[in-house]
Amino acid sequence: MPTPHYGQPRYRVIADELRRRIESGAIPSGSLLPTESALTAEFRASRGTIRQAIAVLRDERLVETEHGRGTYANPYRLVDGPGEGPEVETRERQVAADPELAALFAVEVGAALVEQQNITLMNGAVGAVVRIYRLPQGTQ
Amino acid sequence: MPTPHYGQPRYRVIADELRRRIESGAIPSGSLLPTESALTAEFRASRGTIRQAIAVLRDERLVETEHGRGTYANPYRLVDGPGEGPEVETRERQVAADPELAALFAVEVGAALVEQQNITLMNGAVGAVVRIYRLPQGTQ
DNA sequence: AGAAATTTGTCCGTATGTATC
DNA sequence: AGATACATACGGACAAATTTC
């Protein structure tokens, strides 16, 4: 079978699906993701592709992998014990440029921007939300 | 041929060497790196390993790759004007909480939040826009 | 304008090394 | 020691973007 990849590459499709499962709770926070070989079987993809999909989630800090053990979902979720310092939760996504951002970046309104959102938590409460906007890779 | 990787993995060794060449100027800023196939020949490594090495440098934002063209060295360097460093423009204002921010801060949609916006400039162009949201003083 | 060559992007299969349980 | 799982590396194939002729 050939390897067409029109549109989204497979590893992104798989990453999107896994992200959905984690965010929906289908894969509970703190639990292990299915193994690489299980995902290989389920998605009919090679190990390299599965690993690439997981790498995407790892970059987003949505999962964390431990050598010889497995890949955990949502390891940075706060379940703080008492007296812990501020924690940060990070997420990255693509958004459409609002008129002000469009003017700043000299792109059209609605153009794709990358938004990185950091949520600073203090004692379990949201202290501040930081949103960083950049042009997508390769467009600058 | 077996594939031992004692000590440093090969892709890291190659990444280190390429980083050295870029930082030493052996590969001038803004110029193209050797092609993947050229690096394959020079380092006697597979293309996957070369691409992994380049991915390391890409994560460091030391290089940028364009499909069908090549990989550029140091695309993000600042070329400051006379005596100027990177500049930041800051502004603070009050905004209404969008649904997501409202949920995060546990306030009603439309409630007042303080937004601090920092615009970082690189080469006179907008590099990133940072928006920090907090609850107004006295409400936390 | 169009075809060919070049270069990077994605995917596959496989093998071996290393860490953890 | 054995089983399991992640890390690294290889080689090959086809897709897609760019450049060159």
Side-chain angles (χ1 to χ4, degrees):
Chain A
M1 191 157 45
T3 315
H5 51 93
Y6 304 102
Q8 284 263 303
R10 296 204 59 193
Y11 77 91
R12 289 210 172 272
V13 173
I14 296 172
D16 289 343
E17 170 62 15
L18 292 176
R19 187 186 307 104
R20 191 194 63 73
R21 292 185 193 178
I22 293 172
E23 290 178 342
S24 73
I27 299 177
S29 289
S31 72
L32 283 169
L33 266 65
T35 65
E36 289 184 349
S37 60
L39 294 172
T40 293
E42 176 184 347
F43 290 103
R44 304 292 190 89
S46 75
R47 255 191 70 212
T49 301
I50 296 298
R51 290 181 48 72
Q52 216 170 344
I54 293 177
V56 169
L57 304 180
R58 195 159 39 229
D59 281 351
E60 298 172 359
R61 302 195 143 236
L62 193 66
V63 303
E64 188 176 38
T65 298
E66 290 186 30
H67 194 164
R69 191 168 304 173
T71 297
Y72 290 92
N74 261 329
Y76 306 103
R77 210 43 102 189
L78 71 144
V79 196
D80 8 40
E84 301 197 3
E87 300 190 17
V88 176
E89 185 179 319
T90 300
R91 181 195 61 189
E92 195 170 289
R93 63 181 172 180
Q94 237 184 32
V95 299
D98 65 35
E100 184 179 359
L101 290 173
L104 286 169
F105 284 107
V107 298
E108 293 179 5
V109 174
L113 293 178
V114 175
E115 178 196 84
Q116 178 187 329
Q117 175 171 288
N118 300 320
I119 303 175
T120 304
L121 302 148
M122 303 182 65
N123 305 329
V126 173
V129 175
V130 180
R131 289 176 176 170
I132 305 172
Y133 298 90
R134 291 193 185 83
L135 291 172
Q137 292 285 342
T139 61
Q140 48 181 345
Chain B
M1 188 156 49
T3 314
H5 51 97
Y6 306 102
Q8 281 260 304
R10 298 200 59 195
Y11 75 91
R12 289 207 173 276
V13 174
I14 295 171
D16 289 344
E17 170 60 18
L18 292 177
R19 187 188 306 103
R20 192 194 62 73
R21 291 184 193 177
I22 293 172
E23 289 176 345
S24 73
I27 298 177
S29 290
S31 72
L32 283 170
L33 267 67
T35 66
E36 293 178 354
S37 63
L39 294 172
T40 292
E42 178 186 348
F43 290 103
R44 306 289 191 90
S46 73
R47 197 177 152 219
T49 301
I50 296 297
R51 287 178 55 78
Q52 212 170 347
I54 292 176
V56 170
L57 305 180
R58 198 162 34 230
D59 282 350
E60 298 170 1
R61 302 196 139 230
L62 193 65
V63 302
E64 189 177 36
T65 300
E66 292 184 30
H67 191 170
R69 189 166 305 172
T71 298
Y72 290 91
N74 261 327
Y76 306 106
R77 74 192 185 286
L78 344 175
V79 187
D80 319 273
E84 304 182 11
E87 298 186 13
V88 179
E89 183 181 315
T90 300
R91 179 192 65 188
E92 195 169 290
R93 63 180 171 180
Q94 218 176 55
V95 298
D98 66 36
E100 186 178 358
L101 289 173
L104 286 168
F105 284 107
V107 298
E108 291 178 8
V109 174
L113 293 177
V114 175
E115 178 196 85
Q116 177 189 330
Q117 175 171 287
N118 299 326
I119 303 174
T120 68
L121 300 165
M122 299 176 64
N123 306 335
V126 172
V129 175
V130 181
R131 290 176 176 169
I132 307 172
Y133 298 90
R134 292 192 186 82
L135 291 170
Q137 290 295 332
T139 60
Q140 45 182 341

